[in-house]
Amino acid sequence: MAQQAKPNPIELYEAAVKLMQPIVAGVKPSQLTASTPCTTWNVQALLSHNIKVAQWAQGLITGGPATVNPMEVSGALPREGAAAAFSSGTAAVLAALKGRGVLEKVITTPFGQMPVGQFIMFPMLDIVIHKWDLAKGTNQNVSLDAGLSQVCFNVLQMGVEQGRKGGVFGPEVKVPISASIQNKLLALSGRKP
C-alpha cells in the first residue's frame, strides 16, 4: 500500500489565501462596523487582524523583528486598502516560504520551537476560519474548501485547548457526527455553523 503524501504547507497556505482574497475584496465600506461571528471583532478589526497575521508570520519566518501584534486590531485600515494590504502581506509570506530550506528551518514561535513548515499551518488555519467569519459578517459565500477544512480540523485539534485557555477559541459547539467537515471545524473552534 502506497504511503499518502504529506500536504505541502506552501500550497495549503496559498490555497487559503486565494479563497480569502475575494472575500476581503468584497467587503463594502458600509460593512466595516458590522459584527462577525468573532464576537469581540467587527469586520474592520477582522480585516486588520488578517493583514497583521501575514506581517507577523513573515517576520517570524525571515527572522525579522517581531514588531507586529496580530491581536492589536484598533486603528484605521492601511491606506492602500484591506484587499491590497492582505494580498501584499500574504505574497511576502509566500515568497519567504519558497526560500531554499526555509520549510525545514526551526524557529521560535508562540507555540514553541518548530519548523517553519509546521508553523505556517497556524496562519493558514487562521485565514480559513476567518474567511468564514468575514464572509458571514458581510453576507458573502461562507463555504469552505473541504480539503482545507480537513487539514485545518487536524491542525486545530492539536492546539485547541491551548487556544481556549488563551481566550482565542470558545467552547466546542456540538454538531451531529454526520456534519460536514466545514461544520465540524467551525464547531471545534467554538463557532455555530
Side-chain angles (χ1 to χ4, degrees):
M1 189 165 132
Q3 189 173 357
Q4 189 175 2
K6 288 177 87 172
N8 180 314
I10 297 171
E11 290 173 1
L12 291 169
Y13 182 82
E14 193 166 27
V17 167
K18 284 182 180 176
L19 290 173
M20 178 63 125
Q21 284 172 325
I23 302 301
V24 173
V27 174
K28 298 173 181 69
S30 61
Q31 295 174 315
L32 292 177
T33 57
S35 61
T36 72
C38 242
T39 55
T40 56
W41 290 346
N42 64 15
V43 169
Q44 181 171 326
L46 196 53
L47 288 168
S48 290
H49 171 71
N50 279 275
I51 292 164
K52 288 183 175 184
V53 165
Q55 295 167 340
W56 169 78
Q58 195 239 354
L60 283 177
I61 293 165
T62 60
T67 57
V68 177
N69 177 353
M71 304 308 280
E72 173 48 55
V73 296
S74 62
L77 291 170
R79 193 172 301 152
E80 70 268 30
F86 178 76
S87 291
S88 64
T90 53
V93 171
L94 283 164
L97 289 173
K98 291 175 181 176
R100 185 180 186 136
V102 169
L103 292 180
E104 295 78 29
K105 181 174 84 170
V106 176
I107 59 172
T108 302
T109 78
F111 321 109
Q113 289 210 317
M114 62 184 66
V116 168
Q118 182 182 349
F119 161 71
I120 199 60
M121 302 304 264
F122 295 102
M124 183 268 304
L125 163 69
D126 192 73
I127 292 171
V128 171
I129 289 178
H130 288 317
K131 184 261 186 198
W132 184 85
D133 291 331
L134 192 58
K136 187 98 169 154
T138 57
N139 300 312
Q140 297 188 65
N141 180 357
V142 295
S143 64
L144 301 176
D145 177 83
L148 276 176
S149 294
Q150 182 65 63
V151 171
C152 288
F153 183 80
N154 296 343
V155 170
L156 186 56
Q157 283 185 310
M158 293 186 291
V160 73
E161 289 311 317
Q162 181 182 351
R164 285 199 179 101
K165 287 177 190 166
V168 176
F169 300 114
E172 183 173 359
V173 173
K174 298 295 178 203
V175 292
I177 197 163
S178 60
S180 69
I181 190 60
Q182 172 176 322
N183 287 351
K184 288 178 181 176
L185 169 64
L186 294 170
L188 184 61
S189 74
R191 289 156 172 80
K192 292 182 182 175

